[in-house]
């Protein structure tokens, strides 16, 4: 057993001295919180666990847990909360909490600091790509040792969208449940309205593309409560909210599967600008449009499982076939809004 296993077992022993919890009766889930350094991850965790204490800086990878009883006189369910500190500087620690033993009950919460839009895409891309790579390696092993479980996990993420949803073949669901939280909305709402619109629209696309839920929050109790709704659904199986708020002048709240590409619309740029951009996937296209307005401070990106690094200005050195127009992007064009359906993409 690991140190965490022993600690959890000891707490269970103290809270249930009579050994009343029978195996198989307890709901047990794990959530990893990732995101910007000082982005508010700890505050969100403390509010979810209803702990009245001041948040402290997360140094590396920290662990805590919460317990809830679904009904009176029933065993308490357990939710394991992991938090990765340091923004994107400690990515190798992701492999510690996510293992083949808990992958079926694992979820990720990505906290993005809305007050730092120039760091937003790079932070999101680095954290999600490395996490996805690690999860996919686990799934590859499971396909050999337990193919039923691997198939179940893949199908479960596809179930966020109904098969008759027009975007069913266009999205690329994250391999495990994902919630994206835009934090520090109180600062974000002071931004220029056009800036807010670009950020909101981009995060709506990214969340929908990954099959994730999206919510904007701040230190406001009302907004934190909305984030808690989504997290408690992952952690304790509480009912999934079906309310939706997509107005860019208000905090976004969009549970997974309740948005669509037609409602989101095309990337926020002119037809001529988009027509000049070279992109391999819809996600790449949105990144290029977003970074026209919010160029990244750190010009480093993680590419695929190999984590190939290249600088922001080194596109001329990228092999030509990297920019080939993919079938995925072609299909995205065909299903996009009428106003830009006929645009020509530069695939040179």
């Amino acid at each position: 057993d690991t140190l965490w296993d022993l600690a959890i077992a000891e707490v269970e022993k103290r809270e249930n001295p009579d050994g009343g919890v029978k195996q198989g009766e307890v709901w047990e889930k794990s959530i990893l919180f990732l995101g910007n350094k000082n982005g508010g991850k700890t505050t969100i965790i403390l509010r979810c666990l209803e702990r009245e204490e001041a948040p402290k800086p997360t140094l590396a990878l920290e662990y805590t847990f919460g317990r809830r009883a679904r009904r009176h006189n029933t065993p308490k369910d357990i939710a394991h909360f992991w938090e990765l500190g340091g923004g994107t500087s400690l990515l190798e620690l992701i492999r510690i909490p996510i293992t083949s033993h808990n992958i079926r009950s694992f979820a990720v919460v990505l906290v993005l600091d809305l007050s730092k839009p120039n760091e937003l895409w790079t932070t999101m891309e680095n954290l999600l790509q490395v996490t996805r790579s690690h999860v996919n390696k686990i799934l590859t092993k499971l396909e050999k040792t337990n193919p039923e479980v691997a198939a179940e996990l893949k199908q479960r993420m596809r179930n966020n969208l109904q098969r008759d949803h027009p975007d069913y073949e266009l999205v690329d669901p994250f391999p495990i449940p994902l919630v994206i939280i835009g934090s520090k909305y109180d600062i974000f709402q002071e931004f220029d309205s056009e800036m807010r619109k670009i950020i909101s629209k981009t995060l709506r696309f990214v969340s929908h593309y990954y099959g994730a839920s999206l919510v904007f929050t701040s230190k406001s109790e009302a907004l934190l409560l909305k984030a808690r709704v989504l997290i408690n659904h992952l952690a304790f199986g509480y009912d999934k909210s079906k309310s939706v708020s997509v107005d860019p002048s208000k905090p976004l709240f969009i549970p997974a599967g309740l948005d669509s590409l037609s409602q989101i619309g095309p990337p926020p740029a002119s037809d001529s600008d988009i027509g000049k951009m070279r992109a391999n996937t819809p996600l790449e296209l949105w990144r290029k449009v977003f970074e026209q307005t919010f160029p990244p401070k750190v010009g480093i990106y993680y590419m695929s499982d190999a984590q190939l690094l290249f600088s922001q200005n080194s596109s001329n050195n990228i092999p030509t076939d990297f920019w080939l127009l993919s079938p995925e992007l072609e299909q995205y064009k065909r299903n996009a809004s009428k106003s830009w359906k006929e645009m020509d993409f530069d695939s040179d």
Side-chain angles (χ1 to χ4, degrees), residues 102-237:
N102 64 15
I103 192 69
R104 296 178 71 180
S105 59
F106 214 99
V108 171
V109 173
L110 176 65
V111 181
L112 299 173
D113 189 338
L114 296 175
S115 71
K116 299 177 180 178
N118 297 86
E119 299 178 16
L120 192 150
W121 192 285
T122 305
T123 299
M124 173 185 68
E125 185 175 53
N126 288 355
L127 290 170
L128 291 185
Q129 285 192 1
V130 173
T131 304
R132 185 169 205 156
S133 174
H134 175 63
V135 171
N136 283 340
K137 288 177 182 177
I138 293 176
L139 292 177
T140 299
K141 292 180 180 178
L142 280 177
E143 285 175 348
K144 298 177 181 178
T145 60
N146 199 335
E148 294 83 5
V149 171
E152 173 198 326
L153 285 169
K154 291 181 179 181
Q155 186 56 47
R156 184 177 67 182
M157 293 315 299
R158 274 285 173 187
N159 289 341
N160 278 331
L161 282 185
Q162 299 296 323
R163 284 190 174 274
D164 59 355
H165 194 291
D167 305 333
Y168 188 80
E169 297 298 333
L170 292 172
V171 298
D172 184 20
F174 205 68
I176 55 179
L178 173 65
V179 170
I180 297 178
I181 296 178
S183 66
K184 301 187 180 179
Y185 179 79
D186 51 334
I187 300 175
F188 171 78
Q189 66 181 345
E190 301 299 326
F191 286 4
D192 173 80
S193 61
E194 191 60 31
M195 292 174 62
R196 294 200 310 270
K197 183 178 178 181
I198 293 171
I199 295 170
S200 297
K201 196 171 185 181
T202 299
L203 287 179
R204 281 183 66 187
F205 171 80
V206 170
S207 298
H208 184 61
Y209 188 75
Y210 282 136
S213 297
L214 175 65
V215 61
F216 284 0
T217 189
S218 68
K219 292 183 180 180
S220 159
E221 286 299 326
L223 293 185
L224 281 170
L225 181 61
K226 290 190 173 184
R228 283 177 57 187
V229 168
L230 294 176
I231 295 171
N232 282 335
H233 170 69
L234 298 177
F236 300 106

Side-chain angles (χ1 to χ4, degrees), residues 16-82:
N16 300 278
D18 57 354
V21 177
K22 297 180 181 179
Q23 189 174 4
E25 291 185 349
V26 174
W27 169 291
E28 191 166 350
K29 299 289 183 177
S30 299
I31 301 177
L32 173 62
F33 286 76
L34 312 167
N36 293 89
K37 187 176 182 179
N38 300 319
K41 299 184 294 297
T42 305
T43 298
I44 293 170
I45 292 173
L46 291 174
R47 289 295 181 273
C48 286
L49 297 177
E50 300 179 356
R51 293 181 184 171
E52 298 296 332
E53 56 186 85
K56 299 178 182 178
T58 303
L59 300 179
L61 183 66
E62 295 192 1
Y63 168 85
T64 188
F65 69 95
R67 297 172 65 88
R68 300 272 174 84
R70 278 169 283 180
R71 295 176 298 277
H72 184 60
N73 290 331
T74 60
K76 291 184 177 180
D77 298 325
I78 302 173
H80 308 281
F81 289 77
W82 297 85

